[in-house]
């Protein structure tokens, strides 16, 4: 199926809450995130997207989008127009299956984050998020010599995990003092991934190779 390409700068919002004509995107390069926001401006980051992830499946199938999506870094998107979605499922079952697989994987990531927000303590939440991002980034070649370039600020982490900025700052400092990881200058080094995973009780792994669309 033919797709268009779109390049956006960091901070660009490419899906708006309540948007009625949102397209389906595959993130080709860079980082992005989906979010919902309350009327007073409090924001919940629903998930972080890495290269190969779908963004906008829900928005492209329903009458409007129930969330927004923002480029966390400069990004490149492959665009599958919503008007072609029905044709995809009718004529290209293999690609339709890949879209469904990626949609299910996205749901699993949101479920894991809900577990963190609902049941994990602050330290476990942050550890689980870092484990998840590191494990997802590694097979994509984003971890180089053990270092992941991490574009998240402490505010992003707080918004993703339902923590205050002050609590996030203190918890990060406490975790760093234990020597399991370091974050400096936008770079994450996990010194003991297995130990950090055990601490967070985060054992999620992809069970099958990620399809690329």
């Amino acid at each position: 199926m033919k797709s268009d390409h779109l390049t956006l700068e960091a901070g660009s919002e490419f899906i708006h809450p309540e948007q009625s004509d949102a397209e389906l995107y595959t993130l080709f390069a860079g980082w992005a995130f989906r979010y919902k926001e309350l009327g007073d401006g409090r924001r919940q980051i629903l998930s972080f997207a890495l290269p190969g992830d779908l963004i906008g499946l829900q928005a492209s199938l329903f009458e409007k989008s129930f969330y927004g999506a923002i480029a966390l870094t400069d990004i490149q998107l492959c665009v599958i127009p919503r008007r072609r979605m029905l044709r995809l499922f009718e004529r290209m079952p293999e690609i339709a299956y890949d879209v469904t697989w990626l949609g299910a994987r996205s749901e699993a990531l949101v479920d894991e984050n809900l577990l963190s927000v609902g049941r994990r303590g602050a330290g476990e939440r942050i550890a689980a998020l870092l484990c998840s991002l590191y494990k997802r980034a590694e097979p994509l070649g984003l971890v180089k010599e053990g270092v992941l370039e991490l574009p998240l600020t402490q505010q992003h982490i707080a918004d993703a995990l339902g923590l205050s900025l002050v609590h996030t700052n203190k918890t990060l400092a406490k975790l760093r003092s234990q020597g399991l990881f370091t974050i400096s200058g936008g770079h994450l080094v996990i010194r003991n991934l297995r130990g950090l995973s055990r601490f967070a009780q985060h054992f999620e792994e992809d069970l099958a190779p990620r399809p690329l669309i």
Side-chain angles (χ1 to χ4, degrees), residues 3-8 14 25-29 32 53 55 71 75-79:
S3 62
D4 301 316
H5 297 274
L6 184 64
T7 300
L8 298 173
F14 56 96
Y25 302 95
T26 299
L27 185 60
F28 183 73
D53 289 345
I55 308 173
I75 62 172
Q76 295 180 43
L77 297 166
C78 297
V79 187

Side-chain angles (χ1 to χ4, degrees), residues 175-203:
L175 289 173
R176 282 197 296 262
S177 70
Q178 297 176 16
L180 293 175
F181 68 86
T182 60
I183 298 179
S184 179
H187 295 87
L188 169 67
V189 178
I190 296 182
R191 304 190 182 282
N192 186 346
L193 182 58
R194 184 174 297 178
L196 193 64
S197 296
R198 283 199 301 268
F199 171 75
Q201 299 189 64
H202 181 276
F203 306 108

Side-chain angles (χ1 to χ4, degrees), residues 14-212:
F14 56 96
I15 297 179
H16 303 277
E18 305 294 322
Q19 184 175 342
S20 61
D21 59 350
E23 309 286 17
L24 174 64
Y25 302 95
T26 299
L27 185 60
F28 183 73
W31 292 54
F33 65 87
R34 299 185 308 114
Y35 76 94
K36 297 191 76 166
E37 195 170 67
L38 296 176
D40 60 6
R42 284 176 291 169
R43 181 177 70 178
Q44 175 69 45
I45 291 179
L46 304 172
S47 63
F48 295 101
L50 276 62
D53 289 345
L54 281 183
I55 308 173
L57 180 60
Q58 177 196 98
S60 67
L61 292 175
F62 296 160
E63 292 183 358
K64 63 180 181 179
S65 173
F66 296 104
Y67 56 78
I70 295 177
L72 188 57
T73 65
D74 293 348
I75 62 172
Q76 295 180 43
L77 297 166
C78 297
V79 187
I80 302 176
R82 59 187 294 139
R83 67 181 183 277
R84 298 178 183 169
M85 284 295 293
L86 181 59
R87 189 190 316 166
L88 185 152
F89 281 89
E90 289 177 341
R91 304 181 184 180
M92 302 179 181
E94 292 184 359
I95 296 179
Y97 177 84
D98 289 344
V99 167
T100 304
W101 191 98
L102 289 167
R105 178 56 179 152
S106 178
E107 181 182 15
L109 293 173
V110 173
D111 289 349
E112 183 66 25
N113 199 57
L114 179 59
L115 175 62
S116 284
V117 172
R119 291 301 177 187
R120 288 186 172 109
E124 293 171 321
R125 295 183 201 185
I126 291 175
L129 176 62
L130 296 181
C131 283
S132 175
L133 293 173
Y134 194 92
K135 290 175 182 178
R136 291 168 60 197
E138 196 166 28
L140 298 173
L142 299 179
V143 178
K144 303 182 186 300
E145 298 182 354
V147 180
L148 171 62
E149 188 171 338
L150 189 70
L152 277 62
T153 65
Q154 290 190 14
Q155 188 65 65
H156 291 127
I157 294 172
D159 288 351
L161 300 177
L163 300 171
S164 70
L165 188 57
V166 172
H167 200 177
T168 298
N169 181 277
K170 291 181 177 179
T171 305
L172 275 169
K174 183 178 179 179
L175 289 173
R176 282 197 296 262
S177 70
Q178 297 176 16
L180 293 175
F181 68 86
T182 60
I183 298 179
S184 179
H187 295 87
L188 169 67
V189 178
I190 296 182
R191 304 190 182 282
N192 186 346
L193 182 58
R194 184 174 297 178
L196 193 64
S197 296
R198 283 199 301 268
F199 171 75
Q201 299 189 64
H202 181 276
F203 306 108
E204 296 297 315
E205 303 283 354
D206 279 341
L207 300 179
R210 171 197 299 268
L212 297 176

